């Protein structure tokens, strides 16, 4: 196996970087449903990864704090804790909350559609999907707001139940309920973080690849997938080196694969049409903060904060889209140092924080042809306004860290474009629109080109 990574660090979105003595994760901030993932990861890692559970026994392993209009609602590990916490706040909604969570479980378990993707014969997969997956397609047609409104009319409770929607990025009134249910169900038993940070994932996988004669190379950008008689035969690198291979697996997303790496004449009109119909996922601005004091002395929590200025998420995002510099910002606030139980051994007198807020590519499009770190004063001023508003909120939650901050960096959708080779700064690849899941499935591991897989 030869892995070709365009970045200077292996691991894709699981990579971490160190700058001026501070380490930051870039894409993997927490995961749920660990048992399912661990079985696979243990097979492909030299040393089994150790996972630290977020939260503490005292707070029932709280993983997310949904903060809306300055009031915090804790999401704790375990279905019973999740339900009981909400019932304390909304005692009259007990039956509605229980019914909602039961429906979440039903919808999230509709996995037959995905299992059928691995069938070799597309027609057979299509027929089975048509007859066996109608309930799945039904849940795709309903958006999150429509479904939650069926279970409760309480606007505050509705907002709390949608409070993690940054994990899938699309505004709830536009996102299918299946995606929402999958995320909620994913974290119900709690959340975990890899000991020593996400970089440990590729660190432990690489020796397995190398043990069979394989290599993992960085700074190796693929320019084109080479094709002969409808068969993928290798890749052309940016430096014009050709590498032949029996099988090519593209792990950079359908957008990059079909729009950039394969010549358009070899991609069907249907696929091109579906990609443009489906569009791209949301983008973010990311803030990386280095703190020159021990994480335990600062009493940093491992749970994430989802900060929402008010209960109307749709209006909040519309305001940002129209006027980002004068709108209240929603924020994801996490402390990787508090999630990693080995942090103090690596960085005994340091801590870190990562903040994300929604970013819209159109606000940055005028700088798209400029170079990283050379985009001009106006670009820097734009970012600094977002930065200062975000820091103001951070210090409300953790005032004790303000005087100890000595490193700050902020990225934009253009930064995501640079590091992920995205089209419009999308952080989650393709959007999760229903077109992505149409019955005549066009997104399968085996593409129409022989020996080319997604």
């Amino acid at each position: 196996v030869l892995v070709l990574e365009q970045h200077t660090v292996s691991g894709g979105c699981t990579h971490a970087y160190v700058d001026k003595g501070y380490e930051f994760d870039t894409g993997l901030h927490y995961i749920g449903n660990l048992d399912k993932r661990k079985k696979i990861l243990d097979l492909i890692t030299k040393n089994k990864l150790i996972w630290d559970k977020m939260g503490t026994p005292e707070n029932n392993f709280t993983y997310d704090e949904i903060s809306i209009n300055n009031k915090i609602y804790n999401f704790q590990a375990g279905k019973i804790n999740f339900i009981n916490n909400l019932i304390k706040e909304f005692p009259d909604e007990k039956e509605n909350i229980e019914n909602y969570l039961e429906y979440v479980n039903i919808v999230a378990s509709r996995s037959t559609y995905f299992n059928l993707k691995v069938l070799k014969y597309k027609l057979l997969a299509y027929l089975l999907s048509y007859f066996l997956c109608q309930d799945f397609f039904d849940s795709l047609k309903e958006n999150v707001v429509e479904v939650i409104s069926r279970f409760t009319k309480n606007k505050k409770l509705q907002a709390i139940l949608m409070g993690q929607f940054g994990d899938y990025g699309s505004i709830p009134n536009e996102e299918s309920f299946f995606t929402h249910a999958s995320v909620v169900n994913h974290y119900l038993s709690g959340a975990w973080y890899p000991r020593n940070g996400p970089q440990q994932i590729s660190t432990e996988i690489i020796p397995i690849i190398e043990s069979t004669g394989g290599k993992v190379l960085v700074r190796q950008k693929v320019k084109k997938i080479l094709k002969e008689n409808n068969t993928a035969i290798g890749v052309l690198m940016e430096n014009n080196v050709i590498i032949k291979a029996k099988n090519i697996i593209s792990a950079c997303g359908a957008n990059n694969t079909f729009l950039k790496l394969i010549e358009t004449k070899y991609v069907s009109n249907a696929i091109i049409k579906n990609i443009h119909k489906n569009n791209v996922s949301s983008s973010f601005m990311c803030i990386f903060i280095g703190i020159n004091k021990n994480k335990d002395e600062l009493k940093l929590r491992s749970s994430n904060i989802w900060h929402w200025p008010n209960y109307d998420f749709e209006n909040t995002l519309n305001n940002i889209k129209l006027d980002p510099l004068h709108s209240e910002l929603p924020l994801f606030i996490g402390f990787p140092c508090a999630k990693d139980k080995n942090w103090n051994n690596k960085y005994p007198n340091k801590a870190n924080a990562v903040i994300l807020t929604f970013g819209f590519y159109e606000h940055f499009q005028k700088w798209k042809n400029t170079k990283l770190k050379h985009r001009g004063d106006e670009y820097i001023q734009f970012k600094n306004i977002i930065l200062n508003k975000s820091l103001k909120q951070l210090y409300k939650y953790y005032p004790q860290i303000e005087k100890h901050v000595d490193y700050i960096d902020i990225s934009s959708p253009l930064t995501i474009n640079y590091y992920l080779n995205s089209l419009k700064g999308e952080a989650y690849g393709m959007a999760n629109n229903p077109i992505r899941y149409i019955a005549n499935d066009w997104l399968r591991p085996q593409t129409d080109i022989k020996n080319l897989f997604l």
Side-chain angles (χ1 to χ4, degrees), residues 186-224:
H186 177 79
Y187 289 112
L188 266 186
S189 59
W192 287 263
Y193 191 77
R195 176 90 49 98
N196 292 315
Q199 189 66 53
Q200 200 65 18
I201 296 172
S202 65
T203 298
E204 294 296 347
I205 290 174
I206 289 172
I208 299 296
I209 293 171
E210 292 180 338
S211 70
T212 59
K215 289 287 181 188
V216 175
L217 304 180
V218 297
R219 295 186 178 91
Q220 301 297 326
K221 188 173 181 179
V222 175
K223 187 177 182 179
K224 191 191 296 184

Side-chain angles (χ1 to χ4, degrees), residues 10-208:
S10 66
C13 290
T14 67
H15 91 269
Y17 76 94
V18 178
D19 191 20
K20 296 182 181 175
Y22 290 100
E23 181 178 301
F24 300 99
D25 57 24
T26 58
L28 192 154
H29 305 297
Y30 67 147
I31 71 159
N33 203 350
L34 183 62
D35 288 345
K36 183 177 181 180
R37 270 140 206 95
K38 196 173 184 306
K39 290 171 188 173
I40 305 298
L41 285 168
D42 285 352
L43 289 173
I44 61 169
T45 47
K46 183 180 179 183
N47 300 299
K48 291 182 180 180
L49 295 166
I50 299 170
W51 296 86
D52 293 323
K53 194 166 188 178
M54 289 167 58
T56 64
E58 292 73 30
N59 64 22
N60 290 325
F61 297 101
T62 297
Y63 52 92
D64 277 339
E65 302 174 28
I66 311 298
S67 176
I68 310 178
N69 200 20
N70 298 316
K71 183 169 175 56
I72 293 177
Y73 308 88
N74 290 330
F75 282 4
Q76 298 178 341
K79 184 178 175 181
I80 293 171
N81 289 328
F82 186 96
I83 291 172
N84 287 344
N85 273 352
L86 289 173
I87 290 173
K88 280 179 198 171
E89 296 290 337
F90 306 95
D92 296 338
E93 298 280 344
K94 181 177 184 295
E95 189 177 347
N96 292 336
I97 293 166
E98 290 173 341
N99 290 340
Y100 159 78
L101 214 56
E102 186 180 338
Y103 188 62
V104 162
N105 182 60
I106 290 169
V107 172
S109 65
R110 292 171 177 170
S111 58
T112 304
Y113 168 85
F114 298 98
N115 296 332
L116 291 174
K117 280 175 172 279
V118 300
L119 287 182
K120 185 176 180 181
Y121 302 105
K122 188 185 278 191
L123 179 59
L124 177 61
Y126 168 73
L127 291 171
L128 290 173
S129 180
Y130 180 83
F131 289 109
L132 300 177
C133 303
Q134 284 309 310
D135 53 354
F136 168 76
F137 293 115
D138 288 342
S139 59
L140 282 179
K141 294 171 188 172
E142 297 183 300
N143 71 45
V144 181
V145 174
E146 285 173 341
V147 174
I148 290 180
S149 298
R150 284 210 309 265
F151 289 96
T152 177
K153 303 301 178 190
N154 188 305
K155 295 294 182 184
K156 285 187 177 181
L157 178 55
Q158 287 177 7
I160 294 161
L161 295 175
M162 294 185 286
Q164 296 168 298
F165 86 81
D167 274 333
Y168 50 81
S170 300
I171 192 165
N173 65 329
E174 295 175 1
E175 184 57 78
S176 76
F177 187 74
F178 172 78
T179 306
H180 173 85
S182 298
V183 168
V184 173
N185 191 64
H186 177 79
Y187 289 112
L188 266 186
S189 59
W192 287 263
Y193 191 77
R195 176 90 49 98
N196 292 315
Q199 189 66 53
Q200 200 65 18
I201 296 172
S202 65
T203 298
E204 294 296 347
I205 290 174
I206 289 172
I208 299 296

Side-chain angles (χ1 to χ4, degrees), residues 362-379:
E362 52 263 42
H363 298 153
F364 297 90
Q365 202 163 0
K366 61 182 173 182
W367 295 294
K368 70 177 181 178
N369 294 321
T370 59
K371 290 187 177 180
L372 187 75
K373 300 189 185 298
H374 296 88
R375 303 199 195 277
D377 291 341
E378 189 186 356
Y379 175 77

Side-chain angles (χ1 to χ4, degrees), residues 390-404:
S390 302
L391 290 176
K392 186 178 177 183
Q393 294 301 330
L394 171 67
Y395 298 148
K396 284 182 181 178
Y397 292 106
Y398 289 94
Q400 67 270 32
I401 72 175
E402 184 171 3
K403 63 183 180 182
H404 297 290

